Amino acid sequence: MCGTCGCSGGSEGGGGTRIAVPHTHPHGGETITLEQRVLAKNEDLAAGNRAWLAEQGIVAVNLMSSPGAGKTTLLERTIRDFVGHRPVSVIEGDQETTLDADRIKRAGSTVVQVNTGAGCHLDAEMMRDALTTLTPPAGSLVLVENVGNLVCPALFDLGERSRVVIISVTEGTDKPLKYPYMFAAADLVIVNKIDLLPYVDFDVARCEEYARSVNPGLTVLALSATTGEGMRSWYDWVAERY
Amino acid sequence: MSITQSIVDAVCERAAGRPVRTVSVRVGMLTAVVPDSMRFCFDLTTAGTVAEGAALEIEQPPGTAHCMACSEDFTLADLVLLCPCGSADVRITSGQELQIISMRVG
Ligand SMILES: [Zn+2]
C-alpha cells in the first residue's frame, strides 16, 4: 500500500509495510500543500494583543505553575502591596471554579475569570476577550494566572510582556528537567515557599542550575509569598518591565 | 488536544467539503507535542468531519543546535542546551517545528 495516500499502488516489500515509491494515483485526488504553522492563528492574535498592550503602556505578565505552587497567594500579596502604587488587574484562568477569582477580588483587584473547561491552558483569543472585558487602565499591570499545568501553556503565546514560572520548594528540585519546555519559554522563575526549606529536601541552587541548563538567560528569585521574605526582588523585577 | 484541534480545523477549512485522505504534519523532536497522543486526539477530533478516517503522517525532525563558542553543529537529544565542548551558548537550529505540511483530498 502507498504510504502517502493509502492507495494500493507503489507497494514495496509487501506484508503491510508502507514504503512509498514514485507511482501514479489512478484514483485521482489532489495534494494540497499547506506549509502552515499550526499555531499561526494564535500567534497572529497574540501579536495583536501585544501591540494593543504596548500602545496602552500596560505590562502583562503570564504566571504559570503546577497546581498548588502558591500562585494565588503570590497574587494576593502582590495586589495588596501594589495598592496605591500602580493599578493591578488579574485575568484568572481556571478550568471550573471561581474560588481563586473570589480570593483575588477580596485582595482588592479587578478580576476577570476565564473558564477554560476541558482546556488546559489559556490562548491568545481568550486573552483578547478577557482584556476587552477587563478594560485595564493605561499604564497598569495585568497579571495573568494561567491554568495550573506546566506543559500546554508553554506553547501558547498570549501577547504578554513576560512569562513567569512559579515552583514551590515542596516540589522536586528537578522540576525544570521534567518540564523543560516551560522553563525554556520563561523569563523568570520564582521559587516559592522558601519558609518551608528547613522541612523539605529542596536544593535552590541545584534547581537554578537545572533551569539554566534549558534556558541560560533565566532569572531565578527565591521568596515566600506567605511570610513576604524576598517579595521585594519580585516587585523590583516587575518595576524593571516598565 | 487543542494543538490537534487547530490542525483539524485548518485542514477541514481548506478541504472545503472534499473528503480528506491524508494529513502530513511536521512535529520537531524538541516540541512538547507527543506523536502518540496527537494520533489519539486526531482520531477523536476528526470524527464527524470531512477528515474522518484520514491518515495522519507525522514527520519528526531531530533537534539540532549550533554552538556559538566552537561553531560546531550538533544533535540535541533534549532541551538541555549544552555543546559537547562544554559551552551553553548554543542556538537551536531545528526540532521546534510545528507545521501542517500538506493534505490529500478527494
Ligand atoms: Zn561548542
Side-chain angles (χ1 to χ4, degrees), chain A residues 192-204:
Chain A
N192 189 21
K193 306 190 190 179
I194 54 167
D195 52 306
L196 300 178
L197 274 175
Y199 316 105
V200 294
D201 180 25
F202 188 93
D203 186 332
V204 177

Side-chain angles (χ1 to χ4, degrees), chain B residues 18-70:
Chain B
R18 291 169 293 179
V20 179
R21 308 290 181 201
T22 314
V23 176
S24 301
V25 296
R26 189 176 292 132
V27 178
M29 295 289 278
L30 301 180
T31 65
V33 178
V34 183
D36 278 349
S37 42
M38 181 178 262
R39 278 181 211 287
F40 176 76
C41 294
F42 186 78
D43 291 342
L44 285 180
T45 49
T46 51
T49 72
V50 289
E52 183 164 353
L56 177 66
E57 290 176 345
I58 303 176
E59 179 187 302
Q60 281 199 285
T64 58
H66 180 78
C67 176
M68 300 297 148
C70 72

